[in-house]
Amino acid sequence: MLAVLGAAALSGCGASDSASDTTTVTVFAAASLQHVFTELGERYESAHPGTGVEFSFAGSSTLAAQLEQGAPADVFASADPATMDKAVRGGRITETPTTFATNTLTIVTPPGNPAGIATPADLARPGLRLVVCAPQVPCGAATRAVTTAAGVDIAPVSEESAVTDVLAKVTTGQADAGLVYVTDATAAGDRVVTVPFPEAATAVNSYPIAVIADAPNPEGAREFLDLVTGPEGRKLLAAAGFGSP
């Protein structure tokens, strides 16, 4: 009986060890990366059976604040270097971040462009329901740069903490126009009309990525970063509309 009980105990320990083999890579990423990173996460999981990727998508400044407060994570991908620098200054990032993509803004309107937006100057039209990103997030800083370059003084009815929220207000008819990244407009497809403008080139956002210094899963973090910056990641990023670093 003792032998049987001992074997059972050993068997139980083996089952517990096996269950603990499952690991997770936690990725904090700018909201504009949601579509392409979700696909990259699925590919990572397929190549690493038993390992899951959990994402937290939000405005880069929101994620940086969470990291500053000690939120556990393995990887941080920001929509601009300035926000990544905050994580570096706070000690959560100790390696040199890698720039893996670029992005620019475009104007989007609901299907049919009912307000007749053709140029950035139209965004200053009285009564226009314009939605943009808040100044403290990367897409908001880019908005300020491009409207300044265009000589347009805008008065948005709402400033959002993430570019995906701007897009949502346009696609649901709550706004006549919005300023979002080209990649978000691409992902929205025929749910929006895109109005490009040359001044967008004055504010090109660079996207850096880095492994968190105290990452719970540093090996998985490095593998995910290599996927993003490698040939497969570059191919998916380009298909989503991101520019090369």
Side-chain angles (χ1 to χ4, degrees):
M1 182 178 292
L2 288 173
V4 172
L5 288 174
L10 289 173
S11 175
C13 289
S16 175
D17 290 344
S18 176
S20 67
D21 287 342
T22 299
T23 55
T24 300
V25 180
T26 302
V27 179
F28 278 23
S32 53
L33 293 166
Q34 183 167 351
H35 180 75
V36 67
F37 265 35
T38 298
E39 187 169 352
L40 282 169
E42 292 171 355
R43 296 195 181 195
Y44 180 90
E45 290 174 348
S46 295
H48 301 79
T51 300
V53 182
E54 291 186 358
F55 291 104
S56 179
F57 294 111
S60 297
S61 60
T62 298
L63 297 172
Q66 292 173 358
L67 289 174
E68 186 177 2
Q69 293 163 10
D74 296 301
V75 178
F76 179 38
S78 169
D80 71 341
T83 306
M84 177 64 76
D85 288 345
K86 294 179 182 178
V88 172
R89 291 195 300 272
R92 295 302 303 276
I93 304 287
T94 56
E95 67 179 33
T96 301
T98 301
T99 300
F100 65 95
T102 58
N103 215 345
T104 55
L105 294 181
T106 189
I107 301 168
V108 290
T109 75
N113 191 0
I117 304 299
T119 69
D122 294 327
L123 300 179
R125 189 186 305 156
L128 183 81
R129 295 178 301 165
L130 173 65
V131 179
V132 300
C133 290
Q136 66 269 23
V137 295
C139 60
T143 294
R144 183 166 55 240
V146 297
T147 52
T148 298
V152 177
D153 186 14
I154 60 173
V157 297
S158 178
E159 294 181 335
E160 306 297 326
S161 61
V163 68
T164 47
D165 295 333
V166 176
L167 184 65
K169 290 208 168 184
V170 174
T171 58
T172 57
Q174 299 178 63
D176 299 316
L179 278 163
V180 302
Y181 290 121
V182 168
T183 53
D184 295 285
T186 299
D190 59 8
R191 293 183 296 152
V192 297
V193 168
T194 301
V195 183
F197 57 102
E199 291 85 359
T202 62
V204 178
N205 278 31
S206 296
Y207 285 61
I209 187 171
V211 173
I212 304 298
D214 55 352
N217 184 1
E219 182 178 352
R222 183 62 55 193
E223 291 171 342
F224 184 80
L225 186 151
D226 289 343
L227 174 63
V228 172
T229 59
E232 192 170 5
R234 289 199 301 270
K235 183 178 179 179
L236 285 176
L237 286 160
F242 287 93
S244 299

